[in-house]
């Protein structure tokens, strides 16, 4: 009997209303956002009630869903008003909430019946029994802990009908399922209540401390200060494994990332899913293009997390970088005039006359050209636009569409590790 592959949802981050619209336009089947309470990203530009309503209307009109992260760990007194808040989310059309604290789950289930609840990755779900426990409480989906292997994903899928959501791209936390207290200790900001200062991403000095002697810094004798920082996850070339093993939702991390990141990564995973659902051969034919595309956004180095084994020192950030993105986000298209073949753009970074740039848009559309006939908002010819958010016009060789993004192609350096531990620098 032939098994029919189920198409998974592409779930993208949306830290602001602008990012929500970009994610939806670039192919997200669903987005996850934060409200102004109960979330873990206090600095992510969280949504007001009015913005939520607008975001829900925008997404639903285009066939996409909106989930709200309410995944903080509650302290005494935090529960006040939670029931009303969940009721408001339900009544404005939010499709589900993502929760980890059992008290918040209980409040939502009893005081806002009808609002779907998904278990957050913060709850560390790693086995079938945990899935069954939360199913008995009425939860319809579980977001897997990042520590789960692909073999375990397959076993969980085989033994439960609860929806599986799994991370496929983005930052990895150095602590188990994100439950960390480094930030609390070092900066008095509670990581489990939305205030993480990302202490694991800091650079630390390393000391030699012989007994009874003064400590001495050994900075400089190693290529990078001591770090606890993990590389980012990317499963773009393993999408077949995710689909074949029954993952229902492919989650992209990054509510605090830029619209360049959101548009690029969403575009890639949407294209990957589309291609594999068409045929394995189609996916293989574009896989390298997808990998290369992801390297056009600023990010840490990439690995597959715990899916294919326990990460080693190669999945930690230290020493010379092995690969550096070669592109810079410089603008977005606001309008296109087909009669004069000009594009009106909103500039995000410095643009120079003659810059080599790449336009890209939803559906994995791309083309390269050079900045020509650069004019400011008043129509004056200029050769440089240094100030962010300027409205400019340029001549383009082919049609572009509002919402298309523009990258400048910048030469850079790539550092490659050698077998002896040294590094070689080459021109990209």
């Amino acid at each position: 009997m032939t098994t029919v592959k189920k198409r998974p949802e592409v779930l993208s981050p949306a830290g602001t209303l602008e990012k929500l619209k970009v994610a939806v336009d670039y192919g997200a089947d669903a987005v996850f956002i934060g409200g102004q309470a109960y979330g873990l990203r206090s600095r992510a530009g969280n949504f007001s009630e009015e913005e939520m309503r607008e975001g829900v209307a925008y997404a639903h009109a285009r066939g996409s869903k909106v989930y709200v992260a309410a995944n903080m760990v509650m302290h005494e007194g935090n529960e006040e008003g939670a029931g009303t808040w969940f009721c408001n989310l339900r009544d404005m059309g939010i499709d589900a909430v993502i929760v980890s604290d059992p008290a918040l789950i209980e409040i939502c289930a009893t005081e806002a019946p009808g609002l779907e609840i998904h278990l957050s990755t913060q709850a560390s779900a790693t086995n079938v029994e945990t899935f069954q426990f939360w199913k008995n409480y009425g939860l319809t989906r579980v977001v897997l802990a990042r520590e789960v292997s692909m073999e375990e994903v397959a076993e969980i899928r085989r033994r439960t009908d609860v929806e599986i959501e799994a991370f496929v791209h983005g930052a990895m936390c150095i602590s188990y399922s994100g439950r960390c207290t480094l930030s609390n200790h070092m900066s008095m900001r509670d990581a489990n209540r939305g205030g993480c200062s990302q202490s694991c991403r800091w650079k630390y000095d390393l000391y030699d401390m012989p007994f009874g002697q003064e400590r001495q810094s050994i900075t400089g004798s190693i290529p990078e200060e001591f770090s606890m920082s993990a590389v980012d996850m990317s499963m773009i070339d393993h999408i077949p494994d995710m689909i074949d093993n029954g993952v229902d939702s492919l989650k992209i991390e990054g509510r605090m990332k830029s619209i360049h990141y959101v548009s690029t990564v969403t575009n890639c995973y949407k294209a990957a899913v589309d291609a594999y659902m068409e045929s394995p051969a189609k996916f293989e034919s574009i896989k390298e293009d997808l990998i290369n595309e992801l390297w056009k956004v600023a990010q840490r180095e990439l690995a597959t997390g715990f899916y294919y084994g326990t990460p080693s020192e190669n999945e930690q950030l230290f020493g010379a970088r092995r690969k550096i993105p070669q592109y810079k986000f410089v603008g977005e298209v606001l309008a296109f005039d087909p009669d004069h073949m000009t594009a009106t753009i909103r500039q995000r970074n410095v643009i120079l006359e003659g810059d080599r740039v790449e336009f890209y848009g939803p559906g994995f559309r791309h083309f390269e050209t050079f900045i020509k006939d650069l004019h400011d908002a008043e129509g004056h010819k200029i050769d440089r636009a240094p100030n962010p958010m300027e409205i400019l016009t340029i001549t383009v060789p082919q049609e572009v569409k509002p919402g298309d993004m523009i990258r400048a192609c910048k030469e850079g350096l790539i550092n490659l590790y050698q077998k002896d531990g040294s590094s070689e620098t080459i021109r990209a």
Side-chain angles (χ1 to χ4, degrees):
M1 186 177 78
T2 302
T3 302
V4 178
K5 291 183 292 189
K6 180 182 177 182
R7 183 187 183 85
E9 167 187 271
V10 175
L11 175 57
S12 295
T16 64
L17 182 59
E18 178 189 33
K19 294 173 189 176
L20 180 151
K21 293 178 178 180
V22 167
V24 170
D25 289 346
Y26 276 77
D29 300 296
V31 296
F32 62 102
I33 68 175
Q36 296 183 335
Y38 304 111
L40 283 184
R41 290 290 183 270
S42 61
R43 294 173 292 142
N46 293 317
F47 284 60
S48 66
E49 183 173 325
E50 181 180 346
E51 288 172 328
M52 278 190 187
R53 292 185 184 279
E54 183 177 346
V56 167
Y58 190 90
H60 286 182
R62 292 157 180 80
S64 299
K65 295 181 178 180
V66 179
Y67 309 141
V68 172
N71 50 352
M72 69 174 283
V73 174
M74 289 210 306
H75 285 221
E76 196 61 43
N78 292 153
E79 75 284 355
E80 295 179 9
T84 300
W85 188 72
F86 283 125
C87 285
N88 288 339
L89 297 185
R90 178 198 61 192
D91 295 344
M92 72 174 65
I94 293 296
D95 295 282
V97 288
I98 307 166
V99 191
S100 64
D101 193 294
L104 277 178
I105 291 173
E106 179 77 10
I107 291 169
C108 184
T110 56
E111 299 189 35
L115 178 57
E116 192 170 320
I117 304 173
H118 298 169
L119 187 72
S120 169
T121 190
Q122 304 295 127
S124 303
T126 59
N127 55 74
V128 172
E129 290 74 16
T130 298
F131 270 65
Q132 191 60 44
F133 176 89
W134 289 113
K135 178 183 178 180
N136 293 339
Y137 273 85
L139 274 64
T140 56
R141 177 184 293 186
V142 170
V143 186
L144 286 174
R146 286 178 173 88
E147 295 79 19
V148 172
S149 70
M150 189 61 68
E151 184 178 353
E152 290 170 322
V153 172
E155 179 67 7
I156 291 169
R157 176 72 297 153
R158 186 179 69 82
R159 295 173 56 193
T160 183
D161 59 357
V162 177
E163 289 186 359
I164 298 174
E165 183 176 306
F167 281 92
V168 292
H169 199 92
M172 292 285 286
C173 184
I174 200 69
S175 294
Y176 199 97
S177 291
R179 298 199 305 273
C180 178
T181 57
L182 278 175
S183 176
N184 305 56
H185 177 70
M186 294 181 173
S187 61
M188 301 297 290
R189 285 166 49 178
D190 194 334
N192 297 299
R193 301 177 72 198
C196 183
S197 59
Q198 296 192 317
S199 302
C200 61
R201 302 293 187 191
W202 301 352
K203 292 184 178 181
Y204 293 87
D205 208 345
L206 190 62
Y207 293 92
D208 181 16
M209 300 179 69
F211 181 75
Q213 299 180 38
E214 186 175 342
R215 69 180 186 179
Q216 295 181 354
S217 171
I218 60 174
T219 298
S221 62
I222 54 174
E224 178 78 19
E225 288 85 348
F226 186 67
S227 174
M228 295 174 282
S229 190
V231 303
D232 287 357
M233 175 191 286
S234 177
M235 290 291 288
I236 193 68
D237 47 341
H238 298 285
I239 290 302
D241 279 354
M242 305 299 288
I243 295 176
D244 291 347
N245 286 307
V247 175
D248 297 281
S249 180
L250 308 178
K251 188 168 193 171
I252 300 165
E253 185 275 339
R255 277 193 284 148
M256 296 177 68
K257 298 290 183 68
S258 68
I259 61 171
H260 181 212
Y261 173 92
V262 171
S263 59
T264 299
V265 179
T266 301
N267 220 7
C268 284
Y269 281 91
K270 172 72 168 178
V273 170
D274 286 347
Y276 188 63
M277 293 304 294
E278 181 178 331
S279 72
K282 176 66 173 178
F283 173 79
E284 288 297 324
S285 72
I286 68 166
K287 185 169 72 173
E288 287 303 314
D289 290 338
L290 296 172
I291 295 170
N292 291 335
E293 183 75 4
L294 286 177
W295 273 107
K296 295 176 181 179
V297 292
Q299 58 197 338
R300 304 172 188 94
E301 294 175 41
L302 301 173
T304 55
F306 287 81
Y307 283 119
Y308 301 104
T310 302
S312 69
E313 67 276 9
N314 293 323
E315 284 73 53
Q316 301 298 310
L317 289 177
F318 66 90
R321 287 201 63 172
R322 284 160 285 188
K323 192 165 185 178
I324 300 174
Q326 304 299 310
Y327 289 77
K328 181 174 70 173
F329 177 47
V330 295
E332 59 191 306
V333 176
L334 300 179
F336 172 67
D337 180 352
D339 295 329
H340 300 92
M341 293 301 291
T342 58
T344 300
I345 65 175
R346 180 187 290 119
Q347 174 248 19
R348 297 287 182 135
N349 277 299
V350 176
I351 294 178
L352 305 177
E353 178 81 11
D355 273 351
R356 182 165 64 97
V357 295
E358 179 186 55
F359 284 80
Y360 71 94
F364 221 56
R365 294 181 288 104
H366 297 79
F367 74 89
E368 288 194 0
T369 186
F370 293 89
I371 295 292
K372 295 180 179 179
D373 300 321
L374 183 62
H375 289 78
D376 64 18
E378 285 73 43
H380 302 131
K381 183 74 172 69
I382 56 176
D383 60 10
R384 185 173 186 269
N387 302 315
M389 307 306 285
E390 285 189 80
I391 304 301
L392 310 168
T393 60
I394 58 173
T395 298
V396 289
Q398 64 186 69
E399 180 186 5
V400 293
K401 297 180 180 180
D404 286 358
M405 304 289 177
I406 312 165
R407 305 183 181 106
C409 311
K410 301 291 184 180
E411 289 190 357
L413 301 177
I414 294 177
N415 296 307
L416 301 176
Y417 280 128
Q418 305 300 304
K419 289 183 179 180
D420 62 2
S422 63
S423 65
E424 175 189 6
T425 302
I426 62 174
R427 178 64 61 182

